[in-house]
Amino acid sequence: MSQRKGLENHTVGSGFILLGFSDDSSLQVLCFAVFLVIYLVVLTGNSLIALITVVDSSLHSPMYFFLRNLSFLEVCYTSVTLPKMLVGFLMEDGRISFLGCAAQLYFLVLGSIECLLLAAMAYDRYTAICHRLHYTLIMSRGLCIRLVVGSWIAVVPVQVGQTYQVFTLPFCASHDLHHFFCDVPPLLELACADTFWHQVMLYAIILVFAILPFSLIVISYIQIIRAILKIPSALGRHKTFSTCSSHLGVVTLFYGSATVTYLKRRSRDSVDADKYLALLYTVVTPTFNPVIYSLRNKEVRIALKRLLRTK
């Protein structure tokens, strides 16, 4: 608490203060230990998924190409927020520089790229189930690469513009961010200027890079469910649905928490709820992705056993 009072009147040049989850110093060590374990699980699990999809020739299909890129993205995404959070817990110091905050906000572009990547994975499952005979022709390696590269190219310039707009705003005397990382909504709350058009831009970005991909995912799964229901045997329906159940689980966890966080109205009473919801899509989802894909996917389990046996 004394740290917060001492830094309250600093200029923007000295940066911001990430308030995190608790002022109780006795909980800092416990939080550090918990989030350190989570970060190590994210790094190990996603790196292992990426490794086996590279070295095992049986996993060189479009679905696992997208999964490899998703795992790489999750490692990068959590590395934007968790290391700074761990330092804050260990040093009991939530300060982040102005440039550090801007960099953190910019690299959250990875969240928008993940939305597009999940949509590409849904299209892959739709093609595999609804156009099985033409699957290899449609989902060529060239198309897969273009979908991944296009996701990065489409999002990066927009994020550059948003980061520039936010950090050219004048900020008020208080630099306390009620969050554990630099995000647009809490930063706009500190601005001493009209942020209407910044809010409009934020919702436009959410519409294009979150809601639109989610709509495509929903449409894909409507077609997938229709195709599955036409399969005469229950065993056939179960086997077909199992090929996309892992992806569906990840989509539900990621989009459910992110949508509630960004689209619900913010208030002083909801800042703690916002932080815990943000934990779901920035920390919990990357942690459970490898678990979901390894437990729900027989091919991944076999490849993992083969890799461990070889080592």
Side-chain angles (χ1 to χ4, degrees):
M1 189 68 72
S2 59
Q3 168 206 345
R4 190 181 309 171
K5 290 179 179 178
L7 295 170
E8 191 174 36
N9 295 319
H10 278 206
T11 63
V12 167
S14 64
F16 300 92
I17 306 170
L18 299 173
L19 297 183
F21 295 98
S22 174
D23 291 329
D24 189 349
S25 59
S26 62
L27 294 177
Q28 302 299 312
V29 176
L30 176 62
C31 289
F32 174 80
V34 170
F35 283 100
L36 178 61
V37 170
I38 289 174
Y39 188 44
L40 292 176
V41 169
V42 171
L43 294 180
T44 304
N46 284 285
S47 298
L48 195 56
I49 291 290
L51 176 63
I52 61 175
T53 57
V54 170
V55 301
D56 198 300
S57 58
S58 67
L59 302 182
H60 289 178
S61 65
M63 179 173 70
Y64 296 110
F65 172 76
F66 289 125
L67 179 57
R68 178 163 63 250
N69 281 276
L70 179 65
S71 296
F72 170 74
L73 196 68
E74 298 288 31
V75 170
C76 297
Y77 193 39
T78 52
S79 296
V80 174
T81 56
L82 271 180
K84 177 59 184 174
M85 191 193 309
L86 291 172
V87 171
F89 286 137
L90 190 63
M91 307 299 294
E92 296 188 27
D93 185 356
R95 288 176 294 183
I96 184 170
S97 68
F98 185 77
L99 289 177
C101 191
Q104 196 174 64
L105 178 63
Y106 169 73
F107 283 109
L108 288 174
V109 65
L110 298 169
S112 298
I113 295 172
E114 182 165 351
C115 293
L116 297 179
L117 195 56
L118 289 172
M121 295 175 76
Y123 177 69
D124 170 71
R125 292 298 83 207
Y126 159 75
T127 307
I129 294 172
C130 300
H131 300 282
R132 187 174 303 176
L133 297 178
H134 302 94
Y135 175 67
T136 54
L137 183 64
I138 297 173
M139 296 303 298
S140 64
R141 182 166 183 80
L143 176 63
C144 294
I145 293 174
R146 286 195 296 272
L147 287 172
V148 172
V149 173
S151 299
W152 286 83
I153 293 175
V155 174
V156 168
V158 176
Q159 190 68 7
V160 170
Q162 184 184 50
T163 304
Y164 174 79
Q165 276 199 331
V166 170
F167 282 91
T168 52
L169 284 169
F171 291 97
C172 300
S174 174
H175 302 144
D176 291 355
L177 276 177
H178 292 276
H179 219 300
F180 61 93
F181 63 90
C182 292
D183 201 4
V184 177
L187 282 167
L188 292 182
E189 289 179 356
L190 298 184
C192 295
D194 183 13
T195 61
F196 173 76
W197 290 110
H198 295 79
Q199 298 279 0
V200 170
M201 183 177 179
L202 174 62
Y203 285 115
I205 292 173
I206 292 173
L207 175 64
V208 174
F209 295 111
I211 296 177
L212 183 57
F214 181 69
S215 300
L216 295 175
I217 292 171
V218 171
I219 293 171
S220 297
Y221 272 100
I222 289 173
Q223 298 301 319
I224 288 170
I225 292 171
R226 284 180 178 175
I228 290 175
L229 292 177
K230 293 178 181 178
I231 299 175
S233 69
L235 181 60
R237 290 194 294 270
H238 175 74
K239 285 185 175 180
T240 304
F241 184 74
S242 65
T243 63
C244 55
S245 59
S246 299
H247 174 258
L248 189 59
V250 172
V251 167
T252 302
L253 185 60
F254 178 81
Y255 267 101
S257 55
T259 301
V260 172
T261 302
Y262 282 98
L263 295 186
K264 77 181 185 66
R265 188 185 181 119
R266 287 179 63 86
S267 66
R268 291 184 179 274
D269 297 330
S270 70
V271 289
D272 287 335
D274 292 341
K275 287 186 283 189
Y276 289 111
L277 285 170
L279 268 181
L280 289 178
Y281 66 86
T282 59
V283 177
V284 176
T285 300
T287 304
F288 280 96
N289 276 2
V291 177
I292 293 172
Y293 275 103
S294 60
L295 291 179
R296 300 286 301 173
N297 194 303
K298 185 178 180 181
E299 290 177 316
V300 172
R301 292 200 305 270
I302 293 173
L304 181 58
K305 291 177 181 177
R306 194 154 47 224
L307 176 66
L308 294 175
R309 193 180 302 121
T310 302
K311 296 298 180 183

